[in-house]
Amino acid sequence: MAVSPKDPERIVVEGQQEVLERLPFSDTRDFEDARRGFLGARTPNAITNDEGTVVWDNDTYDFLTGDAPDTVNPSLWRQSKLVAEQGLYEVVEGIYQVRGFDLANVSFIEGDEGVIVLDPLVTKETAAAALELYREHRGDRPVTGVIYTHPHVDHFGGVKGVTTQEDVDAGRVTIIAPAGFTEHAASENVYAGTAMARRSAYMFGAALARGPRGAVGAGLGQTVSTGEITLIAPTLDVRHTGQEEVVDGVRMVFQSAPGTEAPVEILVYFPDHRALCAAEDATHTLHNLLTLRGALVRDAHAWSQYLTETIDLWAGEAEVVFASHHWPTWGKDRIREFLDTQRDLYAYLHDQTLRLINQGWTGIEIAEELRLPPALENAWNARGYYGSVSHDIKAIYQRYMGWFDGNPAHLWQHPPVAQGQRYVKLAGGADAIVEAAREAYEEGDYRWAAEILSHVVFAEQGHAAARELLADTFEQLGYGIENGIWRNFFLSGATELRDGSFGTPTVAASADVVSALTPGLLFDAIAIQIDGPAAWDERLTIDVVLTDLDERYRLRLSNGALTYTTAQQSDEADATLTATKVSLPALALGGVTAEKLASAGIELSGDATVLSRLASVLDPGDPDFAIVTPDKD
């Protein structure tokens, strides 16, 4: 039986009032900007797939009106109201955006014959619906180009909703992306893809009911759509800042900004429109330096330096800045203020964190004490709706210092279950801890209540009172927090403690993404699934011959590790697979049997038992793994 959300406690309500008094809510310029250029909306805005399943419904956020309820931080409520605005908007003549159709925006730049699509959302269904809305108001223009600003799924996954592989192969559509895009897009969603997708379900509140006591948004956008993720490889690489390209008469000048919000990223200036697309390097929030779903730590220092370069290149010329999320900023003075704030934000966090690191502070200590200067604290575009000062500081610490804080007591700690058992014993039993946690809860010290209750849940998973109180605690933390994804994490944790695991609603490692892997990356994706102990005594070799690429790989399983080489081998492999680049992904899509490989067009010769031996030691990721409990219910 599902447990109804609880009311906010007094200390949470008082905290919301403090936010209202402290921040400049009288500044309504963002609301004016978010509605500027509105041409029309999709009504209703429930988007379905071919089977009729709803994959996106922005109308479920219609509750975001009026003043913030006590269950939502007023600053996050303000941001969510802005992000929930949906429809087609004119940025400047010739450039249009559809917002409120997915986590990101999709932009349309009109050319001589058709339209260039910039960042086509997460799934093909939402991208197709956005294109349909654009055409409804601007005419049935053919798509002549696509730009991916960076290799995160909300910026490429909907590409097959706006174009086809056939049109790209025929040269009718140019796809532009930063050099290295495909490798990063594929590897990020495959290597640790199962874990990232599971944590993303928490991050974006995928299983939360939408409403004042549940999901209100993620700060960057509302959430992610749940349709089909697609990918078409780029045909034109951006390799350096200042590179100029013309597609369908549209002039573009690119800035390369690797290592900022993504491993590779490009900003795009449209000189004929005096319009700058800042991709995801300058948006209306403090961004993540380490996203809570997991990723490589981003470089705050490089981020600030690239934004300085952006300012030097175009701040004196651009008349509008728009991005892959949120709403545009118009006017040279406001553009300069916006970009300066974003640049200074990352520079300040980076430099001050390092200053304190060099004075012996740890990441947790710095995150607890470091405050932004008033000018940044009161800038709406610097608020921590998606990234946060707290977890970004810890990311900077991790980038430079790693996981270890230098204290030997933290060098070899017990894992969570063993820690929990020992803390419970130390404290005089689980019931004693729960009672202490209840006192902390009543005093409003939810952080401490969560800390000690988690030990009980991991030590004695069946302790119902601990689970119930921990769920209540997470709920209060979620109600009060400004950061959208922190709220989703807390409320998702409460949901799973009460109702059990909700799994992974959206899986990024789609067939298209796997198909984009290079042979080496694909073999790596298989190697990650090897159950090492089960394969300790297994020895086998497989040659993979790719006839269309004239390439040959030797895969070797030994000592529990699957490795590969392209060097010529003197001995014969146990088995040989003859395939093409197009058919090879069948190996990573559950096809390690002779029958499935044959159906994919892969020819097997040699010892056929090699495949079953390899399959017997594969241990794929679990999209339902436990997060707030030690193991699945």
Side-chain angles (χ1 to χ4, degrees), residues 269 274 310-319 332 335-336:
Y269 184 61
R274 292 181 179 257
T310 304
I311 292 165
D312 292 343
L313 286 169
W314 297 305
E317 182 178 344
E319 295 178 354
K332 292 181 180 178
I335 288 170
R336 183 59 190 258

Side-chain angles (χ1 to χ4, degrees), residues 333-568:
D333 289 344
R334 289 191 62 206
I335 288 170
R336 183 59 190 258
E337 177 189 11
F338 170 67
L339 292 176
D340 278 355
T341 298
Q342 288 279 294
R343 184 267 315 278
D344 293 349
L345 179 60
Y346 298 108
Y348 186 88
L349 289 176
H350 175 270
D351 295 349
Q352 295 305 305
T353 299
L354 278 175
R355 177 178 67 85
L356 294 173
I357 285 173
N358 286 319
Q359 293 180 8
W361 292 47
T362 66
I364 292 175
E365 292 169 334
I366 300 168
E368 194 69 15
E369 296 297 327
L370 186 63
R371 296 291 178 268
L372 294 175
L376 297 180
E377 178 73 17
N378 290 304
W380 286 117
N381 71 75
R383 300 299 302 173
Y385 303 116
Y386 192 57
S388 73
V389 170
S390 178
H391 75 254
D392 278 1
I393 285 171
K394 294 167 190 171
I396 295 168
Y397 186 92
Q398 179 176 324
R399 182 178 180 87
Y400 286 98
M401 305 301 293
W403 62 269
F404 179 46
D405 63 6
N407 185 336
H410 303 151
L411 186 59
W412 193 22
Q413 293 174 283
H414 287 290
V417 171
Q419 277 192 356
Q421 293 167 342
R422 285 159 174 79
Y423 273 110
V424 167
K425 182 179 179 181
L426 177 68
D431 293 341
I433 293 182
V434 172
E435 185 58 34
R438 200 173 303 280
E439 291 178 11
Y441 180 95
E442 291 171 355
E443 294 169 359
D445 191 355
Y446 305 121
R447 293 168 65 185
W448 179 241
E451 170 78 19
I452 59 178
L453 284 168
S454 182
H455 285 307
V456 178
V457 169
F458 273 77
E460 299 183 18
Q461 188 174 185
H463 200 292
R467 290 172 69 110
E468 179 183 346
L469 186 55
L470 183 55
D472 292 348
T473 301
F474 283 161
E475 193 167 60
Q476 297 301 319
L477 286 166
Y479 286 165
I481 208 74
E482 180 184 34
N483 185 278
I485 56 179
W486 282 39
R487 176 186 174 93
N488 289 338
F489 258 86
F490 285 131
L491 296 186
S492 294
T495 297
E496 291 205 332
L497 283 166
R498 290 168 175 165
D499 305 328
S501 174
F502 50 69
T504 302
T506 301
V507 178
S510 66
D512 269 5
V513 172
V514 173
S515 295
L517 295 171
T518 63
L521 288 174
L522 189 138
F523 301 144
D524 287 341
I526 298 172
I528 291 165
Q529 299 179 48
I530 297 293
D531 181 342
W536 282 347
D537 298 324
E538 185 63 81
R539 299 287 187 276
L540 59 84
T541 55
I542 303 173
D543 278 355
V544 178
V545 179
L546 300 179
T547 55
D548 54 339
L549 300 181
D550 193 24
E551 293 178 354
R552 188 182 192 97
Y553 295 83
R554 167 65 61 86
L555 276 63
R556 180 183 302 276
L557 178 62
S558 62
N559 297 313
L562 182 70
T563 58
Y564 65 90
T565 181
T566 56
Q568 186 173 352

Side-chain angles (χ1 to χ4, degrees), residues 18-30:
E18 188 275 331
V19 171
L20 282 170
E21 295 170 356
R22 176 167 49 87
L23 295 179
F25 283 89
S26 60
D27 180 358
T28 60
R29 291 178 298 172
D30 284 338

Side-chain angles (χ1 to χ4, degrees), residues 224-242:
V224 292
S225 60
T226 55
E228 182 182 350
I229 294 171
T230 61
L231 178 60
I232 300 176
T235 60
L236 194 163
D237 290 342
V238 174
R239 298 187 175 277
H240 61 86
T241 295

